[in-house]
Amino acid sequence: QQQQQHGRLQGPRQEAAEYYRGHRVPQRMEEALNALFPQRPADLYGELANYFSKFSKAPVICKLVGRKVLDGVGQPTLEVEIYCTVKNYEKRICSSVMSSHSQIPENALPETTEADEKEKSDSVNTAVEWVNESLNTMLRDLEPTDQCKVDKMLGEYFAKKVEEKKEIQKQAEEEAEAALPTSWTQSATTLPGKKKAGNPGKKMAVAERSIPPAEPVESMLCGSLAIGGTSLAIAKAGATISHIPLYLHIALLKHDRVSPKEMTLPLPMVTLLNCEKISPAKLKLVKEVMLIPPVQVSLKQGIERVLDIQKEIMRLLDPPGKVPSPQVADSKKGRAHNTGKKALPRALKRISHLGCLITGCDSLEQLLLLVQTACNNIGLKLGTDMYLALNCAAHELMDYVKGKYEILTGTFKSPDEMVDMYVGLINKFPFIIALIDPLRKEDRQQWNNICCALGSKCYLIAEDAAMCISKLKIDQNINIPTCSGVVLKYINQTKVSDLIELTGLLDGQRHITILGSPDGESSDDSLVDLAVGLGARFIKLGGLSRGERVTKYNRLLAIEEELAKNRTLR
């Protein structure tokens, strides 16, 4: 009986011994004990865990969670969480929150804005559904460090959804056509040939023929946020799993896993003023006035200068004739109360969603003089200690009846006249080193002309004048007007691999890359890491007065400190 019991025990023991020997456990245990004994670590078991962790399997994705959250302006957007199986346990690795972007102009009709908000909400709901169902199943068991494979699968999934939408639209059109009586169809096809336009119609047609018509706004597929959100979340998870910062992970992806010896920080384009284009202000030409610190100073010093200028601008914008509240000499409580009331200038109460002061001016010279005066008052010289960039947002200025841009209330200029105006502006104010969207993207000839005239004096940058990232790549060429560079925004179905490929193309064609923040910014600071990792020349984050924007400047400052400490900051 004892022999039988011994035999029964011997079987499992033999099996266990073979199992552990097969995985080299005794050998590695001996190596670990021999290696750690001379060190005599304070936390022996912690050090043993560290030693054996390098032999564990690579973490794999086990779950994706999508949820609807709010961005910095209270609009719905998408959050994607990544869970991985790490050492046999499910663990939450990271999350990403997408920024929302609207192509509706600021002066749009209420019903247009309402329809856009509903479309956004529906798109986020669909994106949440895609993440929690299809993408959750599709990406399970993949390694989060394999960005190319994940992005390829995401791209194929999105292409399939686009085809599905086309089929649904085609079927709906066929059904609608079949439902119409034959007589209606015939009359509809013959009507344009019979109808003659009246005089007003003729004027409109002539005006529109004199300039290229506006290209239609690219429609976004409902749910496209799921693609961009998941791709970014996977990149963040890959960096976390690899125990490296996201910017370094992105740089390694761009340079085929070769770690750069030095890294350059992008120069910030900090929005100082958001210019109103409504009455009583007459100036319509400029949407944003931005400050660019010189490369000779550190990012920290540059941000401090911007803050000083912002404070002085606020003081100058304080309404004239404002009398401080009378203080009560006998009451400390009253004195403290009054001081608190006058501590914040009136201008601070009007902060744009871009995180900067809102103002309105009657002329461009008045606006530039305001900034110049603020700089002079605090001992800074424009063109040496600080530079300016102007976002003209020219696509918002075109009057299609007249075929001209309305630069001031009642003052119009043709595309050719706009070029002459910008040449005069830069010659008069050489401290302006960048113009963003000085013309519509459709005015290709004028883009060529302005680049020939000003290309050596300032950057001419396409933001809204550039196509969406998905349309920028055509046969390895960049489908944009002739310009110095492009503002890229991480929105909708953009994938990390798209940005890597596109910035490589831009670098090869000697265009500069600017990573830009969308209108509806979130508190996710990944955009900064993307800009650093991709080697962007500039980063456009808005102003220094809203939490979701300031958090990105804080991240940029932290990266500067980290690179300086590691001696890898160029």
Side-chain angles (χ1 to χ4, degrees):
Q1 191 177 2
Q2 285 180 348
Q3 284 179 348
Q4 287 176 349
Q5 189 175 0
H6 179 73
R8 282 197 298 273
L9 291 171
Q10 194 65 25
R13 283 176 182 169
Q14 187 68 28
E15 194 177 332
E18 288 175 4
Y19 173 77
Y20 288 125
R21 272 199 300 270
H23 287 83
R24 301 174 63 195
V25 172
Q27 179 188 340
R28 282 175 174 158
M29 181 65 79
E30 186 178 353
E31 289 170 358
L33 295 174
N34 289 337
L36 296 181
F37 179 71
Q39 299 175 22
R40 290 177 173 80
D43 183 0
L44 174 61
Y45 290 104
E47 204 58 47
L48 279 169
N50 292 337
Y51 186 88
F52 283 110
S53 66
K54 61 186 176 185
F55 302 113
S56 63
K57 287 185 177 181
V60 293
I61 299 164
C62 64
K63 185 170 71 174
L64 268 65
V65 176
R67 67 169 58 90
K68 189 175 185 176
V69 295
L70 298 177
D71 66 16
V73 292
Q75 292 295 314
T77 190
L78 173 72
E79 179 183 27
V80 179
E81 284 186 325
I82 304 290
Y83 288 78
C84 288
T85 303
V86 183
K87 301 184 181 73
N88 299 315
Y89 290 97
E90 181 184 288
K91 184 179 179 183
R92 181 188 182 279
I93 303 300
C94 65
S95 73
S96 70
V97 180
M98 286 295 283
S99 301
S100 64
H101 181 65
S102 176
Q103 292 179 301
I104 304 296
E106 291 178 7
N107 56 352
L109 296 170
E111 49 267 33
T112 307
T113 307
E114 220 171 277
D116 181 57
E117 287 177 358
K118 185 183 183 304
E119 191 179 325
K120 268 187 197 172
S121 183
D122 292 343
S123 184
V124 173
N125 291 336
T126 304
V128 169
E129 190 180 307
W130 287 7
V131 172
N132 289 331
E133 295 175 12
S134 308
L135 301 184
N136 183 34
T137 306
M138 187 174 80
L139 301 181
R140 195 171 294 153
D141 297 329
L142 291 179
E143 293 185 18
T145 51
D146 197 346
Q147 188 76 38
C148 291
K149 186 175 182 179
V150 170
D151 281 352
K152 186 172 182 289
M153 293 175 73
L154 290 172
E156 290 169 354
Y157 177 83
F158 184 74
K160 181 184 168 187
K161 287 292 182 183
V162 170
E163 288 304 313
E164 285 177 8
K165 185 185 177 184
K166 285 180 181 175
E167 283 297 318
I168 292 168
Q169 285 177 335
K170 185 181 176 183
Q171 190 176 345
E173 285 170 8
E174 288 173 355
E175 289 174 359
E177 195 174 323
L180 285 173
T182 312
S183 58
W184 288 12
T185 311
Q186 288 174 346
S187 62
T189 53
T190 57
L191 192 60
K194 291 180 180 179
K195 185 177 179 180
K196 290 186 178 181
N199 288 336
K202 281 184 179 175
K203 285 182 182 176
M204 172 76 83
V206 170
E208 289 204 0
R209 273 199 299 271
S210 66
I211 60 166
E215 293 178 13
V217 175
E218 185 186 3
S219 61
M220 291 297 160
L221 183 66
C222 189
S224 59
L225 274 173
I227 305 301
T230 302
S231 179
L232 181 58
I234 292 293
K236 292 177 79 171
T240 304
I241 293 296
S242 304
H243 305 290
I244 57 175
L246 178 58
Y247 65 83
L248 182 56
H249 181 63
I250 297 296
L252 290 171
L253 289 172
K254 183 172 180 177
H255 301 289
D256 296 323
R257 312 306 303 176
V258 178
S259 184
K261 293 179 181 177
E262 290 182 319
M263 300 190 78
T264 308
L265 285 176
L267 277 173
M269 289 180 161
V270 188
T271 307
L272 177 68
L273 296 169
N274 182 200
C275 302
E276 286 185 323
K277 297 186 179 182
I278 56 174
S279 182
K282 293 180 181 178
L283 179 65
K284 294 179 180 288
L285 179 64
V286 178
K287 183 177 182 179
E288 292 176 84
V289 178
M290 291 164 286
L291 298 173
I292 303 175
V295 292
Q296 293 86 355
V297 301
S298 69
L299 180 70
K300 186 178 179 183
Q301 290 170 317
I303 295 295
E304 286 172 355
R305 287 184 185 181
V306 171
L307 285 170
D308 288 341
I309 295 169
Q310 182 173 289
K311 286 175 187 173
E312 184 59 20
I313 285 278
M314 284 163 56
R315 191 187 68 79
L316 292 172
L317 287 176
D318 214 18
K322 183 180 177 183
V323 180
S325 304
Q327 295 183 357
V328 183
D330 298 332
S331 169
K332 288 183 181 178
K333 189 174 181 181
R335 195 157 51 238
H337 176 70
N338 287 333
T339 305
K341 280 182 76 174
K342 69 179 180 124
L344 296 179
R346 192 183 298 273
L348 189 59
K349 295 176 183 176
R350 306 197 66 222
I351 297 294
S352 162
H353 67 282
L354 297 172
C356 62
L357 298 169
I358 299 175
T359 188
C361 289
D362 292 335
S363 69
L364 185 55
E365 286 75 12
Q366 182 189 9
L367 183 64
L368 296 174
L369 182 61
L370 172 67
V371 180
Q372 206 167 15
T373 303
C375 290
N376 290 341
N377 288 354
I378 59 173
L380 296 177
K381 184 182 177 184
L382 282 175
T384 306
D385 304 314
M386 190 63 69
Y387 297 90
L388 287 192
L390 302 179
N391 180 5
C392 303
H395 56 284
E396 297 178 3
L397 308 178
M398 178 56 72
D399 184 319
Y400 285 94
V401 177
K402 291 183 170 62
K404 293 185 176 184
Y405 294 95
E406 187 177 16
I407 62 165
L408 294 169
T409 304
T411 302
F412 298 86
K413 287 189 181 292
S414 69
D416 288 324
E417 289 171 336
M418 292 287 280
V419 175
D420 295 336
M421 180 196 68
Y422 287 125
V423 171
L425 175 70
I426 299 303
N427 288 334
K428 188 175 179 181
F429 302 104
F431 49 75
I432 300 172
I433 62 165
L435 294 174
I436 298 177
D437 285 345
L439 298 156
R440 300 178 311 140
K441 61 187 171 190
E442 294 84 1
D443 295 324
R444 298 282 176 132
Q445 184 56 53
Q446 285 74 25
W447 273 96
N448 290 338
N449 296 345
I450 196 173
C451 282
C452 288
L454 294 176
S456 61
K457 295 182 179 180
C458 78
Y459 294 109
L460 299 158
I461 297 163
E463 183 173 356
D464 284 272
M467 305 290 283
C468 291
I469 288 177
S470 58
K471 297 287 180 75
L472 275 174
K473 300 175 294 181
I474 297 179
D475 299 327
Q476 296 299 298
N477 289 317
I478 305 297
N479 184 28
I480 52 174
T482 305
C483 61
S484 312
V486 182
V487 178
L488 302 177
K489 294 180 180 179
Y490 194 89
I491 52 174
N492 300 317
Q493 72 269 24
T494 304
K495 303 183 293 294
V496 170
S497 297
D498 294 336
L499 279 183
I500 290 170
E501 183 182 351
L502 194 55
T503 53
L505 289 173
L506 288 166
D507 294 344
Q509 297 192 8
R510 303 190 70 142
H511 284 89
I512 62 167
T513 299
I514 300 101
L515 262 285
S517 189
D519 291 340
E521 190 52 275
S522 74
S523 56
D524 193 313
D525 59 12
S526 307
L527 182 70
V528 176
D529 286 77
L530 287 173
V532 175
L534 293 168
R537 179 77 61 86
F538 294 101
I539 186 166
K540 184 172 175 284
L541 297 173
L544 287 164
S545 296
R546 287 183 68 103
E548 70 276 9
R549 296 186 182 274
V550 173
T551 189
K552 292 171 180 58
Y553 286 107
N554 286 337
R555 175 62 186 150
L556 197 55
L557 289 167
I559 293 174
E560 179 184 52
E561 193 176 307
E562 191 175 313
L563 292 176
K565 186 178 178 182
N566 298 336
R567 300 189 177 184
T568 53
L569 178 63
R570 183 165 58 201

